[in-house]
Amino acid sequence: ELFKKAFHSKAFGLAIVDQERRVVDINEALANLLEYNREDFIGKTAVEIGLTSPAYIKKRDELLSLILQKGSIENYELQLETRHGKHLDILLSVESMHLKDKSHWLIYLMDVTEKRKAEKELAESEKRLRTILQTEPQCVKLIDINGNLTYMNPAGLAMMEADSFDMVSGKKAYNIINEAYRDAYFRLALNVFKGESGKLEFEITGLKGTPRWLETHVVPLRNAEEKITSLLGVTRDITESKKTAE
């Protein structure tokens, strides 16, 4: 009775298949996922049902080989095509079981289509962002609540006269700011972690000794819980405009 209730739950797809690969039972969750009725599966193989996409056939042969070698499978990634041609990303697990002294396979299928889609979109978004940051001509930096630099793009490293991020990673951002402007920087940073944006002009001395005037715009960077985790700064070199103004 407990197995029956678990089997017919709607949490994920389940099926029982005999050694001839014919479906003995299938729950509504799996039938609905594949856009069939339960009755379409009983007593039939996947091929007889119509699950015959080339991608599935190729994976099916790999699966049979793995099952024979290991006796079970856990979280095997598989692509399926539903009755109406919808493509699904599936996690498949298979365990052996006995019914009436005969060997059967208990098959679990979990639909991860939306999860994989979200992961792909996130990866593409991150790639676009990295490209923008790598080619942005202004300095873009992240500073944590302790004042440590946690990110700086190539333009920023060039302003700092750093050959790589390792030269500034984890260092206090204010160390490179000339002392006369540090108090103003501290006030600006404090306000950012209170949720305010701001702007500041200051002078620095690069790691190789070159003086520069910079103008930075800073905003609070929040995480998914809306907690401020970093100061995001975009900084431009205004040395030439300062010379021109003088």
Side-chain angles (χ1 to χ4, degrees):
E1 182 66 20
L2 287 172
F3 177 80
K4 181 179 178 181
K5 287 181 178 179
F7 185 84
H8 290 289
S9 71
K10 297 180 180 179
F12 45 82
L14 283 164
I16 299 173
V17 178
D18 65 19
Q19 291 295 306
E20 295 177 353
R21 287 178 274 166
R22 295 188 180 278
V23 178
V24 175
D25 202 358
I26 185 173
N27 68 356
E28 289 284 354
L30 182 51
N32 292 338
L33 178 66
L34 298 175
E35 300 180 332
Y36 286 87
N37 297 316
R38 284 187 67 242
E39 295 74 23
D40 295 327
F41 283 89
I42 307 302
K44 296 179 182 177
T45 66
V47 173
E48 290 171 346
I49 294 160
L51 298 175
T52 56
S53 68
Y56 168 74
I57 296 298
K58 180 182 178 181
K59 287 290 186 180
R60 181 198 65 185
D61 294 339
E62 291 179 11
L63 282 168
L64 288 172
S65 176
L66 282 172
I67 292 170
L68 291 173
Q69 289 175 26
K70 299 182 178 180
S72 65
I73 296 175
E74 188 172 347
N75 293 333
Y76 185 92
E77 296 221 15
L78 177 69
Q79 286 190 324
L80 288 180
E81 194 173 290
T82 69
R83 185 178 198 169
H84 301 299
K86 180 181 176 182
H87 292 278
L88 299 175
D89 291 310
I90 298 293
L91 282 183
L92 173 75
S93 296
V94 181
E95 293 181 19
S96 62
M97 65 180 298
H98 285 81
L99 291 174
K100 298 178 182 178
D101 297 324
K102 291 185 178 180
S103 294
H104 289 71
W105 301 107
L106 178 60
I107 301 173
Y108 308 74
L109 279 89
M110 184 178 294
D111 181 11
V112 293
T113 307
E114 290 304 315
K115 182 181 179 184
R116 291 293 179 263
K117 181 182 176 182
E119 289 171 348
K120 182 179 179 182
E121 289 174 351
L122 179 61
E124 289 175 352
S125 176
E126 289 178 345
K127 184 177 180 180
R128 286 194 298 271
L129 180 59
R130 280 196 302 271
T131 302
I132 291 168
L133 291 174
Q134 291 295 104
T135 56
E136 167 59 45
Q138 309 299 341
C139 167
V140 180
K141 58 182 177 290
L142 291 176
I143 299 170
D144 67 19
I145 197 167
N146 297 314
N148 298 316
L149 277 165
T150 58
Y151 173 80
M152 182 173 280
N153 69 342
L157 295 175
M159 288 182 193
M160 301 298 111
E161 298 185 314
D163 296 327
S164 69
F165 183 65
D166 290 339
M167 294 178 69
V168 295
S169 175
K171 296 185 184 301
K172 301 296 183 185
Y174 59 78
N175 284 341
I176 205 166
I177 299 172
N178 289 4
E179 194 168 348
Y181 304 95
R182 288 184 186 177
D183 285 344
Y185 164 79
F186 283 132
R187 289 193 297 271
L188 180 72
L190 185 63
N191 288 336
V192 167
F193 284 99
K194 290 178 179 178
E196 300 175 17
S197 301
K199 183 172 75 171
L200 180 67
E201 287 186 10
F202 55 91
E203 193 175 16
I204 69 165
T205 302
L207 297 181
K208 296 178 183 177
T210 305
R212 280 188 174 87
W213 275 95
L214 303 179
E215 179 185 71
T216 189
H217 293 253
V218 293
V219 296
L221 187 67
R222 302 174 188 270
N223 61 14
E225 289 75 39
E226 289 300 309
K227 181 181 178 182
I228 299 172
T229 57
S230 298
L231 175 155
L232 170 62
V234 178
T235 303
R236 66 190 185 99
D237 188 336
I238 59 170
T239 306
E240 291 305 314
S241 63
K242 275 282 188 182
K243 287 180 180 178
T244 302
E246 288 173 4

